[in-house]
Amino acid sequence: MSDFKGKYVLVDFWASWCSPCRQESPYLVKAYQQFKNKNFTILSISLDKNATNWQKAITADKLTWTHVSDLNFWKNAVAVQYSVDSIPFNLLLDPAGKIIALNLRTDAIEETLKAVLK
């Protein structure tokens, strides 16, 4: 996370096998394209077990931001740290690392970013 210090970061927990997660992808892509030059980025953390499926989903959904996974499924270290028990799940961090929003979905992602990135 230190790589993202000073930015607004949407930390997105997802997996290639999660249909609701994949349905959120177009909204994430739109938000990233619209705000990536306004001190905003996305960090996607995958709860996948299969690296090939994970990479294929990133490519297929055109997810061009930073992605990480330890391929430990629900035992992913960061997911455990944030008590993630269902996906999709996301949290928006301000430049100081404070959580300012949880579980933004569909158009709420863009609306929230418009409000905080004035």
Side-chain angles (χ1 to χ4, degrees), residues 2 17 19-20 22 25 28 41 49-50 54 64-66 74 76 78 82 87-88 96 102 113:
S2 61
W17 46 263
S19 294
R22 303 289 296 275
S25 291
L28 294 172
T41 195
K49 292 191 286 187
N50 181 295
W54 171 47
T64 60
W65 48 85
T66 303
W74 287 104
N76 174 280
V78 182
Y82 283 100
I87 54 175
L102 289 170
L113 291 172

Side-chain angles (χ1 to χ4, degrees), residues 9-41:
V9 181
L10 184 72
V11 181
D12 177 51
F13 294 88
W14 75 295
S16 65
W17 46 263
C18 170
S19 294
C21 299
R22 303 289 296 275
Q23 291 169 1
E24 288 293 318
S25 291
Y27 298 97
L28 294 172
V29 169
K30 182 180 178 188
Y32 182 72
Q33 290 303 317
Q34 186 173 354
F35 298 105
K36 68 181 179 181
N37 295 322
K38 296 183 179 182
N39 203 35
F40 169 75
T41 195

Side-chain angles (χ1 to χ4, degrees), residues 1 8 29 31 45 48-49 53 57 60 65 73-75 84 89-90 100:
M1 289 301 296
Y8 286 89
V29 169
I45 301 172
D48 275 282
K49 292 191 286 187
N53 292 344
W65 48 85
F73 200 44
W74 287 104
K75 293 181 182 176
V84 175
F89 175 79
N90 64 45
I100 58 173

